[in-house]
Amino acid sequence: MRLLFLLICVMLAAPLRAQDALRVGVFGVVEGLDPLVVPGREISVPDDVRTISPLGPGQAIALGDTLAVVVSVEGGRLVAVRMLEFFPVVGPVADVREGTATIMGTTVHLPPETSLKSGQWVALSGLWSGEQVITTKVRRVDWDGFGQLAGSVELATADQPLRIGRSTVFGADPPKDGFGDGIWMLSGQPEAEGLRVRLMSKGVFGSKVDLVLWQGHASLPVASQTYMIHGTGIIGTATDALMPSAGALITRCAWQGRVVHASPEGLEAAFEALDCVRHIPAD
C-alpha cells in the first residue's frame, strides 16, 4: 500500500526532458515492442527513458499495455522523453462472469481466456467505453489497500455522486475550478462500489503538451454533430455522415481538448510527425 502511494508521488514529480522543445503526446495501446508502436506510431525510446508505473520501477512494457508518452519531434521522428503506464482500474475483483468482471462497481470486459477470481487484485490496461473498460491487458498485483481509478470524472448532481465509470468517488474535494473534462488519476482505499480517495492528480503527460494523438472509444452524439472520446474529455465534431459509430475504437489528434482537422498554427511539424491526416475522414 505504501509502495503505491510513494510511486504515485514520484509519478507526479517526475522531471521531463527537452523542456524547450515542442512537447507532443501520444496516448493509446501498445501494438509493437521493437520498435515501440503506440497506437500505430513508431516511437524511439532512448536508453535513459524509463517507464513510470504505479506498479513499481523496472516494469517491462508489454503488448496491450496502455501508455501516455511525451515525445519530441526530431527530424520527423517521434522520440520518447517520458512514458507513463496508464491503468483505468487497479483494485480487487468483486465478481467474475463470463468475459467480464466487476471492480469497485465498474464492469470491465476481459481479454479472451482470462482467468480471474473474486478477491484477486489486478491492474487493468485498456480504454473506457462509456461506463465500462475494454481491457487490453491484465496484470495481477500482490498488494492490497491502495486502488486506482483513472479517467474523466462525472460531476455530482442532486441524486448522483461523483463517479468515474460506474465507480463512486468518495472523499474527493473538487478543485476550485472543478474537475473539468480532462483525465484524473485517483488513488485510495477501494470500497464495494467505488474508491475512497487519498490522492488525486490531473493529466497523464506530467504537464501541458502542445498536440496529442488520442486513442479511445467514441461516444454517442452529445450534441448535433458532436461526439466525445470516452474517458478523456476530448470533444470532436463531424458531419452526420462522418460521425464515428458509438463505441468504435478511433484515433484522433487533439489540441486544447478538441479534435483538429488541420494543424494549429506553429504545430505543423508535430501535426505531420503524428500523421494526423491519416485520421481525418474524407468528405
Side-chain angles (χ1 to χ4, degrees):
M1 180 173 72
R2 290 184 178 179
L3 173 61
L4 178 59
F5 183 85
L6 291 172
L7 288 169
I8 292 168
C9 292
V10 171
M11 288 160 51
L12 302 183
L16 293 166
R17 300 171 47 196
Q19 294 285 343
D20 297 329
L22 262 181
R23 298 192 60 252
V24 180
V26 177
F27 178 90
V29 176
V30 174
E31 300 170 356
L33 297 175
D34 189 16
L36 179 67
V37 179
V38 186
R41 300 321 191 261
E42 185 175 316
I43 300 173
S44 299
V45 183
D47 292 340
D48 61 339
V49 174
R50 299 289 182 263
T51 303
I52 304 165
S53 173
L55 303 187
Q59 297 295 319
I61 297 173
L63 294 175
D65 283 350
T66 313
L67 293 183
V69 188
V70 179
V71 299
S72 62
V73 179
E74 301 179 12
R77 298 183 308 120
L78 302 177
V79 180
V81 298
R82 181 184 191 269
M83 299 195 301
L84 171 71
E85 260 191 323
F86 177 82
F87 298 105
V89 178
V90 179
V93 175
D95 181 50
V96 181
R97 299 184 181 183
E98 185 175 352
T100 67
T102 302
I103 302 174
M104 297 182 291
T106 287
T107 298
V108 299
H109 291 262
L110 301 171
E113 301 181 4
T114 300
S115 177
L116 295 178
K117 58 184 180 180
S118 297
Q120 194 169 33
W121 274 69
V122 293
L124 302 182
S125 298
L127 302 166
W128 289 97
S129 182
E131 297 178 332
Q132 304 177 350
V133 174
I134 308 300
T135 306
T136 53
K137 185 171 181 61
V138 177
R139 293 180 184 267
R140 292 160 180 81
V141 295
D142 296 331
W143 65 69
D144 57 21
F146 255 80
Q148 174 176 290
L149 292 170
S152 55
V153 178
E154 294 185 24
L155 300 181
T157 62
D159 57 355
Q160 178 176 295
L162 288 172
R163 293 191 313 186
I164 290 182
R166 292 294 298 174
S167 300
T168 301
V169 174
F170 301 103
D173 294 326
K176 291 182 179 180
D177 56 352
F179 282 101
D181 294 326
I183 293 178
W184 283 82
M185 300 176 65
L186 310 179
S187 302
Q189 179 67 40
E191 299 194 359
E193 297 298 324
L195 182 75
R196 187 160 298 280
V197 176
R198 293 278 301 277
L199 183 67
M200 62 185 190
S201 65
K202 185 175 184 179
V204 293
F205 296 113
S207 59
K208 182 180 178 181
V209 287
D210 298 297
L211 187 69
V212 183
L213 181 79
W214 288 100
Q215 183 182 48
H217 293 277
S219 73
L220 290 164
V222 295
S224 177
Q225 301 181 339
T226 304
Y227 64 94
M228 297 186 70
I229 301 178
H230 282 302
T232 68
I234 301 298
I235 297 173
T237 58
T239 61
D240 290 336
L242 297 177
M243 284 280 286
S245 301
L249 181 63
I250 62 174
T251 303
R252 297 288 189 271
C253 286
W255 177 66
Q256 297 184 352
R258 291 187 172 272
V259 172
V260 291
H261 303 287
S263 174
E265 185 177 356
L267 299 179
E268 291 81 5
F271 192 84
E272 181 177 356
L274 289 175
D275 194 13
C276 295
V277 173
R278 188 194 312 181
H279 303 291
I280 298 176
D283 293 330

